[in-house]
Coordinates of all heavy atoms in Angstrom, one line a residue:
M1 N -22.2 1.9 -38.2 CA -22.2 1.2 -36.9 C -22.2 2.3 -35.8 O -21.5 3.2 -35.8 CB -20.9 0.4 -36.9 CG -20.7 -0.4 -35.6 SD -19.3 -1.5 -35.8 CE -18.9 -1.8 -34.1
T2 N -23.0 2.0 -34.8 CA -23.0 2.9 -33.7 C -22.6 2.2 -32.4 O -22.7 1.0 -32.3 CB -24.5 3.4 -33.4 OG1 -25.3 2.3 -33.2 CG2 -25.0 4.2 -34.6
S3 N -21.9 3.0 -31.6 CA -21.5 2.4 -30.3 C -22.6 2.7 -29.2 O -23.3 3.7 -29.3 CB -20.2 2.9 -29.9 OG -20.2 4.3 -29.7
H4 N -22.7 1.9 -28.3 CA -23.6 2.1 -27.2 C -23.2 1.4 -25.9 O -22.4 0.4 -26.0 CB -25.0 1.7 -27.6 CG -25.2 0.2 -27.9 ND1 -24.9 -0.3 -29.1 CD2 -25.6 -0.8 -27.1 CE1 -25.1 -1.6 -29.1 NE2 -25.5 -1.9 -27.9
R5 N -23.6 1.9 -24.8 CA -23.2 1.2 -23.6 C -24.3 0.2 -23.2 O -25.5 0.5 -23.3 CB -23.1 2.3 -22.5 CG -21.8 3.1 -22.6 CD -21.7 4.0 -21.5 NE -21.1 3.2 -20.4 CZ -20.6 3.7 -19.3 NH1 -20.7 5.0 -19.1 NH2 -20.1 3.0 -18.3
I6 N -23.9 -0.9 -22.6 CA -24.8 -1.8 -22.0 C -24.7 -1.6 -20.5 O -23.7 -1.6 -19.9 CB -24.3 -3.3 -22.4 CG1 -24.3 -3.5 -23.9 CG2 -25.2 -4.3 -21.7 CD1 -23.8 -4.8 -24.3
S7 N -25.9 -1.5 -19.9 CA -25.9 -1.3 -18.5 C -25.4 -2.6 -17.8 O -25.4 -3.7 -18.4 CB -27.3 -1.1 -18.0 OG -28.1 -2.2 -18.2
A8 N -24.8 -2.5 -16.6 CA -24.3 -3.6 -15.9 C -25.3 -4.7 -15.7 O -25.0 -5.9 -15.8 CB -23.7 -3.2 -14.6
E9 N -26.5 -4.3 -15.5 CA -27.6 -5.3 -15.3 C -27.9 -6.1 -16.5 O -28.3 -7.2 -16.5 CB -28.9 -4.6 -14.8 CG -28.7 -3.9 -13.4 CD -27.9 -2.6 -13.5 OE1 -28.0 -1.9 -14.6 OE2 -27.2 -2.3 -12.5
A10 N -27.8 -5.4 -17.7 CA -28.1 -6.1 -19.0 C -26.9 -6.8 -19.6 O -27.1 -7.4 -20.6 CB -28.7 -5.0 -19.9
D11 N -25.7 -6.6 -19.0 CA -24.5 -7.2 -19.6 C -24.6 -8.7 -19.5 O -24.5 -9.3 -18.3 CB -23.3 -6.6 -19.0 CG -22.0 -7.0 -19.7 OD1 -22.0 -8.0 -20.5 OD2 -21.0 -6.4 -19.4
P12 N -24.6 -9.5 -20.5 CA -24.7 -11.0 -20.4 C -23.4 -11.6 -19.9 O -23.5 -12.8 -19.4 CB -25.0 -11.4 -21.9 CG -24.5 -10.3 -22.7 CD -24.6 -9.1 -21.9
V13 N -22.3 -11.0 -19.9 CA -21.1 -11.6 -19.4 C -20.9 -11.2 -17.9 O -19.9 -11.6 -17.3 CB -19.8 -11.2 -20.2 CG1 -20.0 -11.7 -21.6 CG2 -19.6 -9.7 -20.1
R14 N -21.8 -10.5 -17.3 CA -21.7 -10.2 -15.9 C -22.9 -10.8 -15.2 O -23.9 -10.1 -15.0 CB -21.7 -8.7 -15.7 CG -21.6 -8.2 -14.3 CD -21.6 -6.8 -14.1 NE -20.4 -6.3 -14.6 CZ -19.8 -5.2 -14.1 NH1 -20.4 -4.5 -13.2 NH2 -18.7 -4.8 -14.6
P15 N -22.8 -12.0 -14.8 CA -24.0 -12.7 -14.3 C -24.3 -12.3 -12.8 O -25.4 -12.5 -12.4 CB -23.6 -14.2 -14.3 CG -22.1 -14.2 -14.3 CD -21.7 -12.9 -15.0
G16 N -23.3 -11.8 -12.1 CA -23.6 -11.5 -10.7 C -23.5 -10.1 -10.4 O -23.0 -9.3 -11.2
A17 N -23.9 -9.7 -9.2 CA -23.8 -8.4 -8.7 C -22.3 -8.1 -8.4 O -21.6 -9.0 -8.1 CB -24.7 -8.2 -7.5
D18 N -22.0 -6.8 -8.5 CA -20.6 -6.4 -8.1 C -20.4 -6.7 -6.6 O -21.3 -6.6 -5.8 CB -20.4 -4.9 -8.2 CG -20.3 -4.5 -9.7 OD1 -20.1 -5.4 -10.5 OD2 -20.4 -3.3 -10.0
R19 N -19.2 -7.2 -6.3 CA -18.8 -7.4 -4.9 C -17.8 -6.4 -4.5 O -16.6 -6.4 -5.1 CB -18.3 -8.8 -4.7 CG -19.3 -9.9 -4.8 CD -18.8 -11.3 -4.6 NE -17.9 -11.7 -5.7 CZ -16.6 -12.0 -5.5 NH1 -16.1 -12.0 -4.4 NH2 -15.9 -12.3 -6.6
P20 N -18.1 -5.4 -3.7 CA -17.1 -4.4 -3.3 C -15.9 -5.0 -2.5 O -16.1 -6.0 -1.8 CB -17.9 -3.4 -2.5 CG -19.1 -4.2 -2.0 CD -19.3 -5.3 -2.9
L21 N -14.8 -4.3 -2.6 CA -13.7 -4.7 -1.8 C -13.0 -3.4 -1.4 O -13.2 -2.3 -2.0 CB -12.7 -5.6 -2.5 CG -12.1 -5.2 -3.9 CD1 -11.0 -4.2 -3.7 CD2 -11.6 -6.4 -4.6
T22 N -12.1 -3.5 -0.4 CA -11.4 -2.3 0.1 C -9.9 -2.8 0.2 O -9.6 -3.8 0.9 CB -11.9 -1.8 1.4 OG1 -13.3 -1.5 1.3 CG2 -11.1 -0.6 1.9
I23 N -9.0 -2.0 -0.4 CA -7.6 -2.2 -0.1 C -7.1 -0.9 0.6 O -7.8 0.1 0.7 CB -6.9 -2.3 -1.5 CG1 -6.9 -1.1 -2.4 CG2 -7.4 -3.6 -2.2 CD1 -6.1 -1.2 -3.6
V24 N -5.9 -1.0 1.2 CA -5.4 0.1 1.9 C -4.1 0.5 1.1 O -3.2 -0.3 0.9 CB -5.0 -0.3 3.3 CG1 -4.3 0.9 4.0 CG2 -6.2 -0.8 4.1
V25 N -4.1 1.8 0.7 CA -3.0 2.3 -0.1 C -2.3 3.4 0.7 O -3.0 4.5 1.0 CB -3.5 2.9 -1.5 CG1 -2.4 3.4 -2.3 CG2 -4.3 1.8 -2.2
D26 N -1.1 3.2 1.1 CA -0.4 4.2 1.9 C -1.2 4.6 3.1 O -1.2 5.8 3.4 CB 0.1 5.3 1.0 CG 1.1 5.0 0.0 OD1 1.8 4.0 0.2 OD2 1.2 5.7 -1.0
G27 N -1.9 3.7 3.7 CA -2.6 3.9 4.9 C -4.0 4.4 4.7 O -4.8 4.6 5.6
E28 N -4.4 4.7 3.4 CA -5.8 5.1 3.2 C -6.6 4.0 2.5 O -6.2 3.4 1.6 CB -5.7 6.3 2.1 CG -5.2 7.6 2.7 CD -5.3 8.7 1.6 OE1 -6.3 8.7 0.8 OE2 -4.5 9.6 1.7
P29 N -7.9 3.8 3.0 CA -8.7 2.9 2.4 C -9.2 3.3 1.0 O -9.5 4.5 0.8 CB -9.9 2.8 3.3 CG -9.9 4.0 4.1 CD -8.5 4.5 4.1
V30 N -9.1 2.4 0.0 CA -9.6 2.7 -1.4 C -10.5 1.5 -1.8 O -10.1 0.4 -1.6 CB -8.4 2.7 -2.3 CG1 -8.8 2.9 -3.8 CG2 -7.4 3.9 -1.9
T31 N -11.7 1.9 -2.3 CA -12.6 0.8 -2.6 C -12.6 0.5 -4.1 O -12.3 1.4 -4.9 CB -14.1 1.3 -2.2 OG1 -14.4 2.5 -2.9 CG2 -14.2 1.5 -0.7
G32 N -12.9 -0.7 -4.4 CA -13.0 -1.2 -5.7 C -14.0 -2.3 -5.8 O -14.9 -2.5 -4.9
T33 N -13.9 -3.1 -6.9 CA -14.8 -4.2 -7.1 C -14.1 -5.4 -7.4 O -13.0 -5.4 -8.0 CB -15.7 -3.8 -8.4 OG1 -16.4 -2.6 -8.2 CG2 -16.7 -4.9 -8.7
A34 N -14.5 -6.5 -6.8 CA -13.9 -7.8 -7.0 C -13.7 -8.1 -8.5 O -14.6 -7.9 -9.3 CB -14.7 -8.9 -6.3
G35 N -12.5 -8.5 -8.9 CA -12.2 -8.8 -10.3 C -11.3 -7.7 -10.9 O -10.6 -7.9 -11.9
Q36 N -11.2 -6.5 -10.2 CA -10.4 -5.5 -10.7 C -8.9 -5.8 -10.4 O -8.7 -6.4 -9.3 CB -10.7 -4.1 -10.1 CG -12.0 -3.5 -10.7 CD -12.2 -2.1 -10.1 OE1 -12.3 -2.0 -8.9 NE2 -12.2 -1.1 -10.9
T37 N -8.0 -5.3 -11.2 CA -6.6 -5.4 -10.8 C -6.4 -4.2 -9.8 O -7.2 -3.3 -9.7 CB -5.7 -5.1 -12.0 OG1 -6.0 -3.8 -12.6 CG2 -5.9 -6.2 -13.1
L38 N -5.2 -4.3 -9.2 CA -4.8 -3.2 -8.3 C -4.8 -1.9 -9.1 O -5.3 -0.9 -8.6 CB -3.5 -3.4 -7.6 CG -3.5 -4.6 -6.6 CD1 -2.0 -4.9 -6.2 CD2 -4.3 -4.2 -5.4
A39 N -4.3 -1.9 -10.3 CA -4.2 -0.7 -11.1 C -5.7 -0.2 -11.4 O -5.9 1.0 -11.4 CB -3.5 -0.9 -12.4
G40 N -6.6 -1.1 -11.6 CA -7.9 -0.8 -11.9 C -8.6 -0.1 -10.7 O -9.3 0.9 -10.8
V41 N -8.3 -0.6 -9.5 CA -8.8 0.0 -8.3 C -8.3 1.4 -8.1 O -9.0 2.4 -7.8 CB -8.6 -0.9 -7.1 CG1 -8.9 -0.2 -5.8 CG2 -9.3 -2.2 -7.2
L42 N -6.9 1.5 -8.3 CA -6.3 2.8 -8.2 C -6.8 3.8 -9.2 O -7.1 5.0 -8.8 CB -4.8 2.7 -8.3 CG -4.1 1.9 -7.1 CD1 -2.7 1.5 -7.4 CD2 -4.1 2.7 -5.8
L43 N -6.9 3.4 -10.4 CA -7.4 4.3 -11.5 C -8.8 4.7 -11.2 O -9.2 5.9 -11.4 CB -7.2 3.7 -12.8 CG -5.8 3.6 -13.3 CD1 -5.7 2.7 -14.6 CD2 -5.1 4.9 -13.6
G44 N -9.6 3.7 -10.8 CA -11.0 4.0 -10.5 C -11.2 5.0 -9.3 O -12.2 5.7 -9.2
A45 N -10.2 5.1 -8.5 CA -10.2 6.0 -7.3 C -9.6 7.3 -7.7 O -9.4 8.2 -6.9 CB -9.5 5.4 -6.1
G46 N -9.3 7.5 -9.0 CA -8.7 8.8 -9.5 C -7.2 8.9 -9.3 O -6.7 10.0 -9.5
R47 N -6.6 7.9 -9.0 CA -5.1 7.9 -8.8 C -4.4 7.6 -10.1 O -4.7 6.6 -10.7 CB -4.6 7.0 -7.7 CG -5.2 7.4 -6.3 CD -4.8 6.3 -5.3 NE -5.5 6.7 -4.0 CZ -4.8 6.8 -2.9 NH1 -3.5 6.7 -2.9 NH2 -5.4 7.1 -1.8
R48 N -3.6 8.5 -10.6 CA -2.9 8.3 -11.9 C -1.5 7.9 -11.7 O -0.9 7.3 -12.7 CB -3.0 9.5 -12.7 CG -4.4 10.0 -13.0 CD -5.1 9.0 -13.9 NE -6.5 9.3 -14.2 CZ -7.5 8.7 -13.7 NH1 -7.4 7.8 -12.8 NH2 -8.7 9.1 -14.0
E49 N -0.8 8.1 -10.6 CA 0.6 7.7 -10.4 C 0.7 7.2 -9.0 O 0.0 7.7 -8.1 CB 1.5 8.9 -10.7 CG 1.3 10.1 -9.8 CD 2.1 10.1 -8.5 OE1 3.0 9.2 -8.3 OE2 1.9 10.9 -7.6
W50 N 1.5 6.2 -8.8 CA 1.8 5.6 -7.5 C 3.2 5.1 -7.4 O 3.5 4.4 -6.5 CB 0.8 4.5 -7.2 CG 0.6 3.5 -8.3 CD1 1.5 2.4 -8.5 CD2 -0.4 3.4 -9.3 NE1 1.0 1.7 -9.6 CE2 -0.1 2.3 -10.1 CE3 -1.5 4.3 -9.6 CZ2 -0.9 2.0 -11.2 CZ3 -2.2 3.9 -10.7 CH2 -2.0 2.8 -11.4
R51 N 4.1 5.6 -8.2 CA 5.5 5.3 -8.1 C 6.3 6.4 -8.7 O 5.7 7.2 -9.5 CB 5.8 4.0 -8.9 CG 7.2 3.5 -8.8 CD 7.4 2.2 -9.6 NE 7.6 2.4 -11.0 CZ 8.8 2.7 -11.6 NH1 9.8 2.9 -10.8 NH2 8.9 2.8 -12.9
T52 N 7.5 6.6 -8.2 CA 8.4 7.6 -8.9 C 9.7 6.9 -9.2 O 10.1 5.9 -8.6 CB 8.7 8.8 -7.9 OG1 9.2 8.3 -6.7 CG2 7.4 9.6 -7.7
T53 N 10.3 7.4 -10.2 CA 11.6 6.8 -10.7 C 12.7 7.3 -9.8 O 12.7 8.4 -9.2 CB 11.9 7.2 -12.1 OG1 12.0 8.7 -12.2 CG2 10.8 6.8 -13.1
S54 N 13.8 6.5 -9.8 CA 15.0 6.9 -9.0 C 15.8 8.0 -9.8 O 16.5 8.8 -9.2 CB 15.9 5.7 -8.7 OG 16.3 5.1 -9.8
G55 N 15.7 8.0 -11.1 CA 16.4 8.9 -11.9 C 15.6 10.2 -12.2 O 15.1 10.3 -13.3
G56 N 15.4 11.0 -11.2 CA 14.6 12.2 -11.4 C 13.3 12.3 -10.7 O 12.6 13.3 -10.7
G57 N 12.8 11.2 -10.2 CA 11.6 11.2 -9.4 C 10.4 11.4 -10.3 O 9.4 11.9 -9.8
A58 N 10.4 11.0 -11.5 CA 9.3 11.1 -12.4 C 8.1 10.2 -12.0 O 8.3 9.1 -11.6 CB 9.7 10.8 -13.9
P59 N 6.9 10.7 -12.0 CA 5.8 9.9 -11.6 C 5.5 8.8 -12.6 O 5.6 9.0 -13.8 CB 4.6 10.9 -11.5 CG 5.0 12.0 -12.5 CD 6.5 12.1 -12.5
R60 N 5.0 7.7 -12.1 CA 4.7 6.5 -12.9 C 3.4 5.9 -12.4 O 3.1 5.9 -11.2 CB 5.8 5.4 -12.9 CG 7.1 5.9 -13.6 CD 6.9 6.0 -15.1 NE 8.1 6.2 -15.8 CZ 8.5 7.4 -16.1 NH1 7.9 8.5 -15.8 NH2 9.7 7.6 -16.8
G61 N 2.6 5.4 -13.3 CA 1.4 4.6 -13.0 C 1.2 3.5 -14.0 O 2.2 2.7 -14.2
V62 N 0.1 3.5 -14.7 CA 0.0 2.5 -15.8 C 0.5 3.1 -17.1 O 0.2 4.2 -17.4 CB -1.5 2.1 -15.9 CG1 -1.7 1.4 -17.2 CG2 -2.0 1.3 -14.7
F63 N 1.3 2.4 -17.8 CA 1.7 2.8 -19.1 C 1.2 1.7 -20.1 O 0.4 2.0 -20.9 CB 3.2 2.9 -19.2 CG 3.7 3.3 -20.5 CD1 3.5 4.6 -21.0 CD2 4.4 2.5 -21.3 CE1 3.9 5.0 -22.3 CE2 4.9 2.8 -22.6 CZ 4.6 4.1 -23.0
C64 N 1.7 0.5 -20.0 CA 1.2 -0.5 -21.0 C -0.1 -1.2 -20.5 O -0.9 -1.5 -21.4 CB 2.3 -1.5 -21.2 SG 2.6 -2.7 -19.8
G65 N -0.2 -1.4 -19.3 CA -1.4 -2.1 -18.8 C -1.4 -3.6 -19.0 O -2.4 -4.2 -18.7
I66 N -0.3 -4.2 -19.5 CA -0.3 -5.6 -19.8 C 0.9 -6.3 -19.3 O 1.3 -7.4 -19.7 CB -0.4 -5.8 -21.3 CG1 0.7 -5.1 -22.1 CG2 -1.8 -5.4 -21.8 CD1 0.8 -5.5 -23.6
G67 N 1.6 -5.7 -18.3 CA 2.7 -6.4 -17.7 C 4.0 -6.3 -18.3 O 4.9 -7.1 -18.0
V68 N 4.2 -5.4 -19.3 CA 5.5 -5.4 -20.0 C 6.4 -4.3 -19.5 O 7.6 -4.5 -19.4 CB 5.2 -5.1 -21.5 CG1 6.4 -5.0 -22.3 CG2 4.3 -6.3 -22.1
C69 N 5.9 -3.1 -19.2 CA 6.8 -2.0 -18.9 C 7.3 -1.8 -17.5 O 8.3 -1.2 -17.2 CB 6.1 -0.7 -19.3 SG 4.8 -0.2 -18.2
F70 N 6.6 -2.4 -16.5 CA 7.0 -2.4 -15.1 C 6.9 -1.0 -14.5 O 7.4 -0.7 -13.5 CB 8.4 -2.9 -14.9 CG 8.5 -4.4 -15.1 CD1 8.6 -4.9 -16.3 CD2 8.6 -5.3 -14.0 CE1 8.7 -6.3 -16.6 CE2 8.7 -6.6 -14.2 CZ 8.7 -7.1 -15.5
D71 N 6.1 -0.1 -15.2 CA 5.9 1.2 -14.6 C 5.0 1.3 -13.4 O 5.0 2.2 -12.6 CB 5.4 2.2 -15.7 CG 6.4 2.9 -16.5 OD1 7.6 2.7 -16.2 OD2 6.1 3.7 -17.3
C72 N 4.2 0.2 -13.2 CA 3.2 0.2 -12.2 C 3.5 -0.5 -10.9 O 2.6 -0.8 -10.2 CB 1.9 -0.4 -12.8 SG 2.1 -2.1 -13.3
L73 N 4.8 -0.7 -10.7 CA 5.2 -1.5 -9.5 C 4.8 -0.9 -8.2 O 4.8 0.3 -8.0 CB 6.8 -1.6 -9.5 CG 7.4 -2.3 -10.7 CD1 8.9 -2.3 -10.5 CD2 6.9 -3.7 -10.8
V74 N 4.3 -1.8 -7.3 CA 3.9 -1.4 -6.0 C 4.4 -2.5 -5.1 O 4.7 -3.6 -5.5 CB 2.4 -1.2 -5.8 CG1 1.9 0.0 -6.5 CG2 1.6 -2.4 -6.4
E75 N 4.3 -2.2 -3.8 CA 4.5 -3.2 -2.8 C 3.2 -3.7 -2.3 O 2.3 -2.8 -2.0 CB 5.3 -2.7 -1.6 CG 5.6 -3.7 -0.5 CD 6.4 -3.1 0.7 OE1 7.4 -2.5 0.4 OE2 5.9 -3.3 1.8
V76 N 2.9 -5.0 -2.3 CA 1.6 -5.5 -1.9 C 1.8 -6.5 -0.7 O 2.5 -7.5 -0.9 CB 0.9 -6.2 -3.0 CG1 -0.5 -6.7 -2.6 CG2 0.8 -5.3 -4.2
N77 N 1.2 -6.2 0.4 CA 1.3 -7.1 1.6 C 2.8 -7.5 1.9 O 3.1 -8.7 2.2 CB 0.5 -8.4 1.3 CG -1.0 -8.1 1.0 OD1 -1.5 -7.1 1.5 ND2 -1.6 -8.9 0.2
G78 N 3.7 -6.5 1.7 CA 5.1 -6.7 2.1 C 5.9 -7.3 0.9 O 7.1 -7.4 1.1
L79 N 5.3 -7.6 -0.2 CA 6.1 -8.1 -1.3 C 6.3 -7.0 -2.3 O 5.3 -6.4 -2.8 CB 5.3 -9.2 -2.0 CG 5.9 -9.9 -3.2 CD1 7.2 -10.6 -2.8 CD2 5.0 -10.9 -3.8
R80 N 7.6 -6.7 -2.6 CA 7.9 -5.5 -3.5 C 7.8 -6.0 -5.0 O 7.8 -7.1 -5.3 CB 9.4 -5.1 -3.3 CG 9.6 -4.4 -1.9 CD 11.0 -3.9 -1.8 NE 11.4 -3.1 -2.9 CZ 11.1 -1.8 -3.0 NH1 10.4 -1.2 -2.1 NH2 11.5 -1.1 -4.1
D81 N 7.8 -4.9 -5.8 CA 7.8 -5.1 -7.3 C 6.7 -5.9 -7.9 O 6.9 -6.7 -8.8 CB 9.2 -5.7 -7.7 CG 10.4 -4.9 -7.2 OD1 10.2 -3.7 -7.1 OD2 11.4 -5.5 -7.0
V82 N 5.5 -5.7 -7.3 CA 4.3 -6.3 -7.9 C 3.8 -5.4 -9.0 O 3.6 -4.2 -8.7 CB 3.3 -6.6 -6.8 CG1 2.0 -7.1 -7.4 CG2 3.8 -7.5 -5.7
R83 N 3.5 -6.0 -10.1 CA 2.9 -5.2 -11.2 C 1.4 -5.0 -10.9 O 0.6 -6.0 -11.0 CB 3.1 -5.8 -12.5 CG 4.6 -5.7 -13.0 CD 4.9 -6.5 -14.2 NE 5.0 -7.9 -13.8 CZ 5.3 -8.9 -14.6 NH1 5.5 -8.6 -15.9 NH2 5.4 -10.1 -14.2
A84 N 1.0 -3.8 -10.7 CA -0.4 -3.5 -10.3 C -1.3 -3.8 -11.4 O -2.5 -4.0 -11.2 CB -0.5 -2.0 -9.8
C85 N -0.9 -3.7 -12.6 CA -1.8 -4.0 -13.8 C -2.1 -5.5 -13.9 O -3.0 -5.8 -14.7 CB -1.2 -3.4 -15.1 SG 0.3 -4.3 -15.7
L86 N -1.3 -6.3 -13.3 CA -1.5 -7.8 -13.4 C -2.1 -8.4 -12.2 O -2.8 -9.4 -12.3 CB -0.2 -8.5 -13.7 CG 0.5 -8.2 -15.0 CD1 1.7 -9.0 -15.2 CD2 -0.5 -8.4 -16.2
R87 N -1.9 -7.8 -11.0 CA -2.3 -8.4 -9.8 C -3.7 -8.1 -9.5 O -4.1 -6.9 -9.4 CB -1.4 -7.9 -8.6 CG -1.8 -8.2 -7.2 CD -1.8 -9.6 -6.9 NE -1.6 -9.9 -5.4 CZ -2.4 -9.6 -4.5 NH1 -3.5 -8.9 -4.7 NH2 -2.1 -9.9 -3.2
R88 N -4.6 -9.1 -9.4 CA -6.0 -8.9 -9.0 C -6.1 -8.4 -7.6 O -5.5 -9.1 -6.7 CB -6.8 -10.2 -9.3 CG -8.2 -9.9 -9.3 CD -9.0 -10.9 -10.0 NE -8.6 -10.9 -11.4 CZ -9.3 -11.5 -12.3 NH1 -10.4 -12.2 -12.0 NH2 -8.9 -11.5 -13.6
A89 N -6.8 -7.4 -7.3 CA -7.0 -6.9 -6.0 C -7.8 -7.9 -5.1 O -8.7 -8.5 -5.6 CB -7.8 -5.5 -6.0
Q90 N -7.3 -8.0 -3.9 CA -8.0 -8.9 -2.9 C -8.4 -8.0 -1.7 O -7.7 -7.1 -1.3 CB -7.1 -10.0 -2.4 CG -6.5 -10.9 -3.5 CD -7.6 -11.7 -4.1 OE1 -8.4 -12.3 -3.4 NE2 -7.5 -11.8 -5.4
D91 N -9.6 -8.2 -1.2 CA -10.1 -7.4 -0.1 C -9.1 -7.4 1.0 O -8.6 -8.5 1.4 CB -11.4 -8.0 0.4 CG -12.2 -7.0 1.3 OD1 -12.1 -5.8 1.0 OD2 -12.8 -7.5 2.2
G92 N -8.7 -6.3 1.5 CA -7.7 -6.2 2.6 C -6.3 -6.1 2.2 O -5.4 -5.9 3.0
D93 N -6.0 -6.1 0.9 CA -4.6 -5.9 0.4 C -4.0 -4.6 1.0 O -4.7 -3.6 1.0 CB -4.5 -5.8 -1.1 CG -4.5 -7.2 -1.7 OD1 -4.2 -8.2 -1.1 OD2 -4.7 -7.3 -3.0
V94 N -2.8 -4.7 1.4 CA -2.1 -3.5 1.8 C -1.1 -3.1 0.8 O -0.1 -3.8 0.5 CB -1.4 -3.7 3.2 CG1 -0.6 -2.4 3.6 CG2 -2.5 -4.0 4.3
V95 N -1.3 -1.9 0.2 CA -0.4 -1.5 -1.0 C 0.4 -0.3 -0.5 O -0.1 0.6 0.1 CB -1.3 -1.1 -2.2 CG1 -0.5 -0.5 -3.3 CG2 -2.1 -2.3 -2.6
V96 N 1.7 -0.3 -0.8 CA 2.6 0.8 -0.5 C 3.3 1.2 -1.8 O 3.8 0.3 -2.6 CB 3.6 0.4 0.5 CG1 4.6 1.5 0.8 CG2 3.0 -0.1 1.8
R97 N 3.2 2.5 -2.1 CA 3.9 3.0 -3.3 C 5.4 2.8 -3.2 O 6.0 2.8 -2.1 CB 3.5 4.4 -3.5 CG 2.0 4.6 -3.7 CD 1.6 6.0 -4.1 NE 2.0 7.0 -3.1 CZ 2.0 8.3 -3.3 NH1 1.8 8.7 -4.5 NH2 2.3 9.1 -2.4
Q98 N 6.0 2.7 -4.3 CA 7.5 2.5 -4.4 C 8.1 3.7 -5.1 O 7.5 4.4 -5.9 CB 7.8 1.3 -5.2 CG 7.5 0.0 -4.5 CD 8.0 -1.2 -5.3 OE1 7.5 -2.3 -5.0 NE2 8.9 -1.1 -6.2
G99 N 9.3 4.0 -4.7 CA 10.1 5.1 -5.4 C 11.1 5.6 -4.4 O 11.1 5.3 -3.2
P100 N 12.1 6.4 -4.9 CA 13.1 6.9 -4.1 C 12.7 7.8 -3.0 O 13.4 8.0 -2.0 CB 14.0 7.7 -5.1 CG 13.2 7.9 -6.2 CD 12.1 6.9 -6.3
D101 N 11.5 8.5 -3.1 CA 11.0 9.4 -2.1 C 10.1 8.6 -1.1 O 9.5 9.3 -0.3 CB 10.3 10.5 -2.7 CG 9.1 10.1 -3.5 OD1 9.0 9.0 -4.0 OD2 8.2 11.0 -3.7
R102 N 10.0 7.3 -1.3 CA 9.2 6.5 -0.4 C 10.0 5.4 0.3 O 11.0 5.0 -0.2 CB 8.1 5.9 -1.2 CG 7.2 7.1 -1.8 CD 6.1 6.5 -2.6 NE 5.3 7.7 -3.1 CZ 5.3 8.1 -4.3 NH1 6.0 7.4 -5.2 NH2 4.6 9.1 -4.7
A103 N 9.5 5.0 1.4 CA 10.2 3.9 2.1 C 10.5 2.7 1.2 O 9.6 2.3 0.4 CB 9.4 3.5 3.3
G104 N 11.7 2.2 1.4 CA 12.0 0.9 0.6 C 12.3 1.2 -0.8 O 12.2 0.3 -1.6
A105 N 12.8 2.3 -1.2 CA 13.2 2.6 -2.5 C 14.2 1.5 -3.0 O 15.0 1.0 -2.3 CB 13.8 4.0 -2.7
Q106 N 14.2 1.3 -4.3 CA 15.0 0.2 -4.9 C 15.9 0.7 -6.0 O 15.5 1.6 -6.7 CB 14.1 -0.9 -5.4 CG 14.8 -2.1 -6.0 CD 13.9 -3.1 -6.5 OE1 12.7 -2.8 -6.9 NE2 14.3 -4.3 -6.6
E107 N 17.1 0.2 -6.0 CA 18.1 0.7 -7.1 C 17.6 0.4 -8.5 O 17.9 1.1 -9.4 CB 19.4 0.0 -6.8 CG 20.1 0.4 -5.6 CD 20.6 1.8 -5.6 OE1 21.0 2.3 -6.7 OE2 20.4 2.5 -4.6
A108 N 16.8 -0.7 -8.6 CA 16.4 -1.1 -10.0 C 15.4 -0.1 -10.6 O 15.1 -0.3 -11.8 CB 15.9 -2.5 -10.0
D109 N 14.9 0.8 -9.9 CA 13.9 1.8 -10.5 C 14.6 2.5 -11.7 O 15.8 2.8 -11.7 CB 13.5 2.8 -9.5 CG 12.5 2.3 -8.5 OD1 12.0 1.2 -8.7 OD2 12.2 3.1 -7.5
R110 N 13.8 2.7 -12.7 CA 14.3 3.5 -13.8 C 14.3 4.9 -13.5 O 13.5 5.5 -12.8 CB 13.4 3.2 -15.0 CG 13.7 1.8 -15.6 CD 13.0 1.7 -16.9 NE 11.6 1.1 -16.6 CZ 10.6 1.1 -17.4 NH1 10.7 1.6 -18.6 NH2 9.5 0.6 -17.1
Ligands
FES201 S1 1.6 -0.9 -16.7 FE1 3.2 -1.8 -17.7 S2 3.7 -3.5 -16.5 FE2 2.0 -2.6 -15.5

């Protein structure tokens, strides 16, 4: 068995063209594609961590990717503790990183 890539144009489960979107992360515009999660947009932009822990300030980003570990928490449009791996990005979302070294740090951080 060999693996191969299917081009986006030839992919039968992708009937339409990509729709770009832009979110704002800590004041910086970050572009992605409609349908991506916030974590997908962040990872696609080369960002690997966007939160730090309160116990030591260790960096966190995506760990499980399925909503179990809570490592990917961000503030979205003023709402804290949103799991970036589950929340689908919407054009214009305003994302703020969470952690003790950032505004709005929370005691519940690990
Ligand atoms: S990466 Fe584990 S909950 Fe989001």
